[in-house]
């Protein structure tokens, strides 16, 4: 029998369900221990080879449960049974009836409780991981199930998880000798909770409440320790060393707990009353932490930042839900006591006072980490203070340059933040002057100058992300300020005491009553919309150029791309609606594409980024898409394939998108159904744009965590070689011939583990007749240390083409005439490489330059890699000087005649 079971498992053909049932039938006590072991090993072998998708049912699952419950079964095989369950159960839960699912879940919960008694931490953590996978799958299946089964499962799972967390925390904190294993289990449980909250937003409220209870309980335990330290009774007295161990362990756990609080804040989406209740709960929690004098100052600061984070990100948009149904503006909410300029600044000043306690103790490394934490949470006053105080404390030149850069950046971001808070005050009836707008324009200009000064002070690629990120940030702030200034010019200088509504009215009357003034305004809006759209693509390129970027940083960069997409959409549709009464085409205002193409692109991009985050807004965007697009140049099936890979969770920006799209849809209805309303369209659209810009600039800005990781990105160097593999700099081709190229691409700054993940390399070569160069320019070399590829005018476009080529959505490869370029010829060539163990790839190709006249030309190029998961990653080009020369026909040289 054992031999026949091995033969079943060794077959490479797919097994039929009857054979799986046969294997599972031997996993009972009646079959004997050795037979059960062999059957389980057979199932594990099949899974390891990926040979079969199990048709799991309740019978097979319960038999596996029986194996795990057998006390005489070897512990290692208990672990194997858990692995089998992890493979077969989650993918098949949707085929099992809901009534059986509930039985299976509670049975498995009992098994996990049993496995948690194991002395091996990896087994305990894995058991909970499997339970979390099953729970994650169940939430999707049982969401709409009858009888409230989903709620029952959620309640039981969360109760089990938090009971376990509370028990472990008590064990960890009560033990004066740190137990790293138990502490690691606490950390693993909390990370599992973070993942579940990120996947299922509706859990955020209850998880937030339970985490607050856990924190309060933990603080209470520390207070008991204080009383034991002061106790005169020997039975209840603990030493100072034990006390320090208790506090150190509790502090680490409190940091873990703070991370899940942030995740809950980001996912929480409640009504005005609910948000106020949550904020009050947080204030109470932070006060509770502050009252525990045993805790280190930095723990108090971390929870202060949590309150600041909540005030900034949760209490800005509470009234938007009420205003979506009306045509009135939505000022920022004043529910939070910290949302006003003065109160928020006062709160940050209190944080600075606590920071001073750490600086006095000369704990500079901790101070630096707190400054990083402040910048990553938008507390720019605190960040500016700490970075500035640390500058005299460092001796290294590069550390001094870095801290000065961070200090100046924080000060400039604080100015932008104060402008947003000033707008919040204006919403309450205060005043805005021209100086307010000039301040933010000045901050944008200084951000640009800051990057240039920093670039001149550092060398190498380690600061590539920082320089690139600040370049994009300065462009965004500058373009937003230009649009705001455009809407407000010739207004504030006459009367600086007008309210927001008076400002809007004056702007709209000025521009809508003057056709010349309106035309000039719309031309500038067209330029701004195009600039925002380019920034969208630049943020996309930034996100795909740093493979090691953490998931949260990637999300922040993605959210910035969504913001720019919203701004491009809003300015572009303002242009469309405001110019509709005159029937002007967008090309009148300097756009390269037609009116239909331009606005279709704006709507499609915003729709793609929102994805399925907000189905109502996506539906409204499709209505706008139908309105603009008379021809179906892009099928919805192609579009949906692209949406499925996009995940955007920027709640505040998404809400502003919802407001913007709904208002533009209302204007469209007026345009279509109310002929007498078209005269109001320019005024209404300009007012809407003012409202959107007004609201967007109040969304707090924070740096991604990756900003503080100083590491060169994975880059690529393209080398043209001869037949012997030696690099050649001078390539010639005769007029009317194609240029044969032997290419080598070399990856740089890549670790062996990362190289192992790379499956393919791709490169695009691009040249135009307008890329002609002369000897003086050709001799210029760009060193690796000064490479600033992101500032290239062509990098975004080449990356776009390469992305479409790798996804199979473009066919253009070869010589073609440039549209609207007065007879300019261009050539594109896509090349594929298979990387070797040294990160090198080799290929040959023909570049069709047969239409190029005699002269020297530059070849621009860009490359990417595809990892084992099919993800696309852009590679920073290290060398940009690739040239070729077209000569008159001769008897020598290598060339290929075009047929």
């Amino acid at each position: 029998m054992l031999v026949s079971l091995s033969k079943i498992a060794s077959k490479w053909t797919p097994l039929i369900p009857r054979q799986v049932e046969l294997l599972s039938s031997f996993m009972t006590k009646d079959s004997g221990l050795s037979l059960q072991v062999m059957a389980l090993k057979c199932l594990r072998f099949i899974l390891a080879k990926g040979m079969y998708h199990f048709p799991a049912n309740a019978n097979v699952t319960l038999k596996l449960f029986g194996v795990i419950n057998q006390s005489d079964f070897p512990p290692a095989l208990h672990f194997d049974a858990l692995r089998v369950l992890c493979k077969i159960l989650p993918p098949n839960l949707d085929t099992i009836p809901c009534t059986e699912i509930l039985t299976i879940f509670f049975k498995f919960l009992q098994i996990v409780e049993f496995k948690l008694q194991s002395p091996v931490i990896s087994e305990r953590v894995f058991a909970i991981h499997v339970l979390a996978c099953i729970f994650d799958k169940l939430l999707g299946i049982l969401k709409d199930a009858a009888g409230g089964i989903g709620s029952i499962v959620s309640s039981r799972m969360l109760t089990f998880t938090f009971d376990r967390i509370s028990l472990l925390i008590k064990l960890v904190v009560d033990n004066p000798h740190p137990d790293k294993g138990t502490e690691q289990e606490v950390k693993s449980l909390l990370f599992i909770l973070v993942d579940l909250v990120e996947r299922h937003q509706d859990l955020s409220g209850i998880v937030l409440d339970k985490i607050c209870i856990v924190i309060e309980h933990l603080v209470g335990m520390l207070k008991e320790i204080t009383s034991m330290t002061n106790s005169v009774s020997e039975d209840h007295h603990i030493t100072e060393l034990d006390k320090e161990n208790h506090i150190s362990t509790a502090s680490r756990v409190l940091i873990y707990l703070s991370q899940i609080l942030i995740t809950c804040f980001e996912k929480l989406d409640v009504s005005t009353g609910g948000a106020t209740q949550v904020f009050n709960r947080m204030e109470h929690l932070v006060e509770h932490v502050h009252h525990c004098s045993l805790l280190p100052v930095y723990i108090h600061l971390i929870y202060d930042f949590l309150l600041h984070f909540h005030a900034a990100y949760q209490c800005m948009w509470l009234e938007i839900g009420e205003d979506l149904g009306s045509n009135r503006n939505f000022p920022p909410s004043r529910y939070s006591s910290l949302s006003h300029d003065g109160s928020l600044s006062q709160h940050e000043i209190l944080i600075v006072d606590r920071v001073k306690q750490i600086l006095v103790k000369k704990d500079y490394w901790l101070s630096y980490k707190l400054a990083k934490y402040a910048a990553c949470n938008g507390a720019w006053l605190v960040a500016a203070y700490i970075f500035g105080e640390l500058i005299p404390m460092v001796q290294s030149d590069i550390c001094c340059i870095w801290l000065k850069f961070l200090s100046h950046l924080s000060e400039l971001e604080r100015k932008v933040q104060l402008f947003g808070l000033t707008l919040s005050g204006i919403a309450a009836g205060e005043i805005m002057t021209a100086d307010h707008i000039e301040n933010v324009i000045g901050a944008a200009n200084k951000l640009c100058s800051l990057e240039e000064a920093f670039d001149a002070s550092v060398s190498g690629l380690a600061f590539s992300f920082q320089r690139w990120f600040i370049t994009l940030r300065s462009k965004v702030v500058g373009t937003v300020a230009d649009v705001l200034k455009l809407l407000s010019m010739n207004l504030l200088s006459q009367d600086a005491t007008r309210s927001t509504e008076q400002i809007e009215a004056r702007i709209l009357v000025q521009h809508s009553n003057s056709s010349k003034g309106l035309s000039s305004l719309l031309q500038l809006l067209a330029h701004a919309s195009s600039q925002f759209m380019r920034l969208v693509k630049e943020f996309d390129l930034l996100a795909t150029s740093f493979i090691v970027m953490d998931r949260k940083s990637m999300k922040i960069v993605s959210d910035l791309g969504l913001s720019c997409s919203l701004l491009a959409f809003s300015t572009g549709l303002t242009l469309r609606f405001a110019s509709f009464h005159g029937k002007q085409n967008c090309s009148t205002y300097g756009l390269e594409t037609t009116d239909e193409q331009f606005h279709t692109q704006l709507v499609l991009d915003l729709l793609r980024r929102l994805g399925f985050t907000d189905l109502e807004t996506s539906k409204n965007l499709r209505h706008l898409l139908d309105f603009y697009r008379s021809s179906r140049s892009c099928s919805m099936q192609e579009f949906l394939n692209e949406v499925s890979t996009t995940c955007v969770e920027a709640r505040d920006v998404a809400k502003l998108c919802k407001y913007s799209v709904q208002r533009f849809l209302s204007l469209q209805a007026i345009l279509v159904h109310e002929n007498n309303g078209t005269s109001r369209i320019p005024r209404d659209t300009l007012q809407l744009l003012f409202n959107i810009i007004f609201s967007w600039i109040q969304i707090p800005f924070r740096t991604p965590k990756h900003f503080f990781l100083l590491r060169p990105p994975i880059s690529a160097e393209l080398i043209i070689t001869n037949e012997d593999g030696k690099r050649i700099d001078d390539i010639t081709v005769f007029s009317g011939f194609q240029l044969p190229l032997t290419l080598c691409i070399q990856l740089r700054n890549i670790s062996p583990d990362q190289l192992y993940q790379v499956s393919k390399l791709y490169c695009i070569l691009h040249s135009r007749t307008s890329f002609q160069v002369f000897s003086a320019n050709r001799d210029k070399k760009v060193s690796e240390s000064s490479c600033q590829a992101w500032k290239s005018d062509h990098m975004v476009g080449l990356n776009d083409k390469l992305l479409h080529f790798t996804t199979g959505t473009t066919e253009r490869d070869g010589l073609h005439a440039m549209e609207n370029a007065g007879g300019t010829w261009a050539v594109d060539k896509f090349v594929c490489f298979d990387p070797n163990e040294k990160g090198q790839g080799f290929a040959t190709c023909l570049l069709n330059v047969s239409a190029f006249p005699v002269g020297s030309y530059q070849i621009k190029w860009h490359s990417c890699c595809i990892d084992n998961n099919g993800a696309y990653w852009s590679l920073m080009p290290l060398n940009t000087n690739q040239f070729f020369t077209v000569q008159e026909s001769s008897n020598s040289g290598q060339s290929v005649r075009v047929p």
Side-chain angles (χ1 to χ4, degrees):
M1 178 63 72
L2 295 179
V3 174
S4 62
L5 286 177
S6 299
K7 289 182 178 179
I8 290 175
S10 63
K11 289 184 178 180
W12 287 89
T13 54
L15 298 179
I16 60 175
R18 186 180 302 173
Q19 290 171 312
V20 176
E21 289 284 351
L22 176 62
L23 287 171
S24 64
S25 67
F26 295 112
M27 291 186 295
T28 61
K29 289 185 178 181
D30 297 337
S31 300
L33 183 61
S34 60
L35 195 56
Q36 293 180 63
V37 170
M38 179 56 67
L40 182 59
K41 286 184 176 180
C42 289
L43 290 177
R44 283 243 27 221
F45 177 81
I46 295 167
L47 285 171
K49 296 295 183 181
M51 295 164 57
Y52 191 67
H53 179 71
F54 275 73
N57 54 40
N59 184 40
V60 174
T61 303
L62 291 174
K63 285 179 179 177
L64 283 168
F65 287 165
V67 169
I68 298 173
N69 277 329
Q70 291 186 47
S71 58
D72 56 345
F73 218 65
L77 292 178
H78 278 160
F79 201 52
D80 284 346
L82 271 177
R83 290 183 180 277
V84 172
L85 273 174
C86 186
K87 289 283 187 179
I88 70 172
L89 193 53
N92 291 283
L93 282 172
D94 52 356
T95 65
I96 302 175
C98 287
T99 52
E100 294 184 14
I101 283 179
L102 203 57
T103 302
I104 288 173
F105 177 75
F106 284 117
K107 185 71 175 175
F108 188 69
L109 201 56
Q110 293 176 1
I111 290 172
V112 171
E113 290 173 342
F114 170 73
K115 293 300 296 179
L116 290 179
Q117 300 172 18
S118 169
V120 182
I121 181 174
S122 60
E123 292 188 9
R124 301 199 303 266
V125 172
F126 184 74
I128 294 177
H129 170 73
V130 176
L131 179 63
C133 290
I134 294 172
F135 176 64
D136 179 37
K137 182 73 174 179
L138 283 177
L139 285 183
I141 297 172
L142 302 176
K143 185 176 181 180
D144 300 319
I149 296 178
S151 299
I152 295 172
V153 170
S154 295
S155 176
R156 185 69 186 88
M157 175 67 182
L158 292 178
T159 299
F160 164 79
T161 304
F162 279 101
D163 285 349
R164 181 66 182 173
I165 290 172
S166 298
L167 174 64
L168 292 174
I169 288 176
K170 182 173 177 57
L171 291 174
V172 168
V173 178
D174 275 352
N175 186 357
H177 308 290
D179 183 351
K180 295 297 182 182
T182 306
E183 187 177 330
Q184 180 61 39
E185 188 177 347
V186 173
K187 193 174 180 179
S188 300
L189 278 167
L190 291 173
F191 282 165
I192 287 172
L193 274 179
V194 167
D195 188 61
L196 287 173
V197 170
E198 287 183 343
R199 291 174 179 271
H200 305 281
Q201 183 175 337
D202 53 331
L203 295 177
S204 57
I206 187 170
V207 171
L208 177 65
D209 189 59
K210 287 182 176 292
I211 287 292
C212 288
I213 293 173
V214 170
I215 292 172
E216 290 170 354
H217 178 66
L218 175 55
V219 172
M221 291 172 60
L222 285 177
K223 289 180 178 179
E224 290 181 10
I225 291 175
T226 305
S227 62
M228 293 171 64
T229 306
N230 298 327
S231 174
V232 295
S233 171
E234 293 185 1
D235 294 335
H236 297 88
H237 184 74
I238 62 173
T239 66
E240 285 296 324
L241 178 60
D242 288 345
K243 173 184 172 183
E244 290 179 6
N245 288 335
H246 286 300
I247 295 171
S248 177
T249 303
S251 298
R252 290 194 299 270
V253 174
L254 282 170
I255 292 175
Y256 305 150
L257 291 168
S258 70
Q259 293 170 355
I260 190 170
L261 282 176
I262 291 177
T263 302
C264 291
F265 291 160
E266 290 178 332
K267 294 295 178 181
L268 200 62
D269 190 7
V270 294
S271 63
T272 297
T276 306
Q277 182 180 0
V278 170
F279 179 76
N280 292 337
R281 183 79 170 89
M282 270 305 303
E283 279 190 315
H284 175 75
L285 177 67
V286 173
E287 288 175 4
H288 202 67
V289 172
H290 285 168
H291 288 159
C292 184
S293 58
L294 279 175
L295 287 171
V297 175
Y298 71 88
I299 295 295
H300 293 174
L301 283 168
I302 286 174
Y303 279 81
D304 276 330
F305 285 131
L306 282 176
L307 189 60
H308 182 279
F309 178 88
H310 179 69
Y313 285 86
Q314 297 289 329
C315 299
M316 294 293 288
W317 304 100
L318 298 181
E319 295 183 358
I320 189 170
E322 302 170 5
D323 294 302
L324 280 172
S326 66
N327 288 328
R328 63 189 181 91
N329 307 334
F330 56 95
S333 172
R334 302 301 292 261
Y335 282 90
S336 168
S337 62
L338 301 182
S339 66
H340 187 259
D341 179 13
S343 298
L344 185 58
S345 297
Q346 186 62 36
H347 183 251
E348 286 191 274
I349 290 171
L350 292 175
I351 297 177
V352 168
D353 287 339
R354 290 194 176 92
V355 169
K356 290 177 181 178
Q357 299 177 37
I358 297 176
L359 288 170
V360 166
K361 296 178 181 179
K362 297 184 179 181
D363 196 341
Y364 300 134
W365 179 241
L366 176 59
S367 300
Y368 177 74
K369 290 194 291 184
L370 287 170
K372 284 169 48 179
Y373 196 85
C376 292
N377 287 280
W380 293 108
L381 178 64
V382 179
Y385 173 78
I386 299 177
F387 288 133
E389 289 294 311
L390 290 177
I391 293 172
M393 309 303 171
V394 296
Q395 297 179 352
S396 164
D397 289 341
I398 189 64
C399 289
C400 185
I401 291 170
W402 174 238
L403 287 173
K404 285 181 178 179
F405 170 72
L406 293 175
S407 177
H408 293 154
L409 171 64
S410 301
E411 289 171 359
L412 292 173
E413 287 298 342
R414 176 60 177 170
K415 288 184 178 180
V416 178
Q417 184 182 55
L418 286 174
F419 179 73
L421 294 169
T422 299
L423 292 180
S424 177
I426 292 170
E430 298 174 15
I431 62 173
M432 178 172 68
T433 67
D435 289 340
H436 292 135
I437 297 176
E438 290 299 332
N439 284 340
V440 76
I441 292 175
N445 293 334
K446 288 179 181 178
L447 279 172
C448 184
S449 300
L450 177 64
E451 189 279 328
E452 294 173 355
F454 185 62
D455 177 49
S457 303
V458 298
S459 60
L461 295 173
F463 295 96
S464 295
F465 181 85
Q466 292 74 16
R467 289 152 59 190
W468 194 350
F469 185 81
I470 292 304
T471 298
L472 297 185
R473 173 62 176 167
S474 65
K475 289 180 181 179
V476 173
V477 175
T479 308
V480 168
D482 287 342
V483 173
L484 200 56
K485 182 178 181 180
L486 178 67
L487 294 173
S488 305
M489 61 183 179
N490 301 323
L491 168 67
L492 297 175
S493 59
Q494 296 182 22
D495 188 352
T497 61
R498 293 188 176 87
S499 66
T500 301
E501 293 181 358
Q502 291 172 320
I503 290 172
E504 294 166 0
R506 179 64 178 274
I507 292 171
L508 305 173
V509 169
Q510 273 192 332
H511 290 291
S512 60
N513 289 347
S514 167
S515 59
K516 183 178 180 180
L518 181 61
S519 177
S520 174
L521 174 67
L522 296 181
Q523 187 171 5
L524 292 170
L525 288 178
H527 173 75
S529 184
S530 298
Q531 175 71 2
F532 283 131
M533 202 63 222
R534 179 175 175 82
L535 285 167
V536 168
K537 295 180 180 180
E538 291 193 49
F539 275 115
D540 287 347
L541 183 56
L542 175 67
T544 57
S545 296
F546 294 86
I547 302 178
V548 297
M549 195 186 306
D550 61 282
R551 184 174 62 174
K552 196 154 192 174
S553 295
M554 189 75 72
K555 175 184 175 296
I556 290 175
V557 174
S558 175
D559 292 348
L560 292 172
L562 173 64
S563 288
C564 289
S565 183
L566 167 65
L567 294 171
F569 166 84
S570 301
T571 50
L573 261 69
T574 298
L575 169 67
R576 166 65 177 162
F577 280 110
S579 62
F580 189 86
H581 72 295
K583 305 295 183 183
Q584 293 104 327
N585 191 286
C586 282
S587 59
T588 307
Y589 305 114
L591 297 176
E592 296 179 358
T593 59
T594 65
D595 176 86
E596 181 180 315
Q597 290 173 336
F598 180 66
H599 292 100
T600 297
Q601 178 188 13
L602 296 177
V603 177
L604 277 175
D605 188 80
L606 187 58
L607 181 55
R608 178 175 67 85
R609 291 171 196 283
L610 284 175
F612 301 110
T613 303
D614 188 336
L615 295 179
E616 180 185 350
T617 303
S618 297
K619 181 180 178 181
N620 289 337
L621 279 168
R622 290 188 179 92
H623 287 318
L624 285 171
L625 189 64
D626 293 338
F627 179 69
Y628 294 126
R629 192 173 58 184
S630 58
S631 61
R632 299 286 175 175
S633 58
C634 173
S635 69
M636 189 54 68
Q637 183 60 43
E638 291 175 353
F639 173 73
L640 288 177
N641 287 340
E642 193 171 9
V643 167
S644 63
T645 63
T646 303
C647 181
V648 178
E649 301 171 351
R651 184 192 59 254
D652 290 342
V653 180
K655 282 187 176 182
L656 187 53
C657 287
K658 182 176 184 178
Y659 168 83
S660 306
V661 171
Q662 187 163 325
R663 289 296 306 275
F664 277 117
L665 202 61
S666 300
L667 291 173
Q668 175 188 299
I670 296 174
L671 196 64
V672 173
H673 301 295
E674 300 181 19
N675 293 330
N676 60 348
T678 56
S679 62
R680 303 199 319 268
I681 291 296
R683 177 180 300 181
D684 292 345
T685 51
L686 292 175
Q687 178 177 337
L688 176 57
L689 178 62
F690 188 91
N691 294 342
I692 293 169
I693 297 292
F694 178 91
S695 303
W696 176 88
I697 206 168
Q698 294 173 77
I699 299 176
F701 171 76
R702 53 176 173 165
T703 59
K705 183 180 178 182
H706 189 79
F707 189 83
F708 294 93
L709 182 64
L710 307 181
R711 183 178 299 173
I714 297 176
S715 312
E717 183 179 2
L718 185 67
I719 304 168
I720 300 177
T721 66
N722 58 18
E723 293 179 351
D724 299 327
K726 295 182 179 179
R727 182 197 295 259
I728 53 176
D729 296 322
D730 297 320
I731 319 162
T732 60
V733 65
F734 297 117
S735 179
F737 288 81
Q738 296 192 60
L739 176 64
L741 295 172
T742 301
L743 303 173
C744 170
I745 193 167
Q746 173 69 64
L747 296 181
R748 303 290 188 188
N749 307 316
I750 185 169
S751 67
D753 291 341
Q754 292 167 339
L755 181 59
Y756 177 76
Q757 296 295 321
V758 176
S759 61
K760 284 287 184 182
L761 295 170
Y762 291 92
C763 175
I764 179 175
L765 305 176
H766 175 75
S767 189
R768 303 178 188 175
T769 51
S770 60
F771 288 177
Q772 187 169 4
V773 293
F774 302 95
S775 57
N777 292 328
R778 181 170 177 169
D779 292 338
K780 292 180 180 178
K781 300 294 182 182
V782 180
S783 65
E784 177 180 324
S785 62
S786 61
C787 180
Q788 299 182 30
W790 61 86
K791 293 187 177 181
S792 167
D793 293 335
H794 299 278
M795 188 174 175
V796 170
L798 293 180
N799 181 70
D800 246 5
K801 291 181 179 181
L802 198 55
L803 175 61
H804 287 116
F805 175 77
T806 57
T807 54
T809 56
T810 185
E811 298 179 358
R812 175 167 287 187
D813 183 356
L815 186 67
H816 56 274
M818 294 285 292
E819 299 177 2
N820 304 322
T824 298
W825 288 89
V827 59
D828 292 321
K829 187 64 184 179
F830 298 100
V831 188
C832 178
F833 304 84
D834 291 314
N836 60 22
E837 66 279 1
K838 295 181 179 179
Q840 298 171 329
F842 299 90
T844 59
C845 69
L846 291 172
L847 192 66
N848 190 354
V849 294
S850 57
F852 283 44
V854 173
S856 294
Y857 301 90
Q858 184 178 11
I859 300 174
K860 296 184 183 295
W861 66 279
H862 191 65
S863 61
C864 73
C865 68
I866 307 297
D867 66 18
N868 293 334
N869 296 320
Y872 174 98
W873 296 100
S874 173
L875 300 172
M876 181 123 25
L878 290 181
N879 59 322
T880 57
N881 289 317
Q882 301 293 344
F883 299 98
F884 68 94
T885 300
V886 178
Q887 295 181 346
E888 292 288 354
S889 297
S890 176
N891 295 325
S892 60
Q894 293 185 350
S895 54
V896 178
R897 169 76 67 177
V898 178

